[in-house]
Amino acid sequence: MFLLATVALCCVAVAGTLTLLEPMLSPAPEKRVAETAMIDVTRTPVQTPVRVVGAPFEPNINPRQR
């Protein structure tokens, strides 16, 4: 129990120190291009139809019946 408590306290100390120093260690966040880019919905390509092979999926509502 003493060893477990010692390891837990050390981990808490390391995590607390890194939490306090995080703003100084990480670089300033850059502005993302996707946030400012305008998306033109009218220019999206038309989706091509997809061929389904096999029987369509039907969920088994009654587990006793196969």
Side-chain angles (χ1 to χ4, degrees):
M1 290 299 274
F2 179 72
L3 180 62
L4 179 64
T6 305
V7 171
L9 288 175
C10 289
C11 291
V12 167
V14 169
T17 304
L18 290 177
T19 302
L20 292 175
L21 296 177
E22 185 180 8
M24 292 185 290
L25 295 177
S26 63
E30 297 177 8
K31 191 172 185 179
R32 297 184 183 195
V33 178
E35 292 176 356
T36 59
M38 295 294 293
I39 299 173
D40 188 11
V41 184
T42 59
R43 292 192 59 212
T44 58
V46 178
Q47 294 182 351
T48 57
V50 178
R51 185 177 70 136
V52 178
V53 178
F57 175 75
E58 295 179 11
N60 187 7
I61 301 171
N62 188 356
R64 293 182 180 174
Q65 179 185 6
R66 288 193 174 232

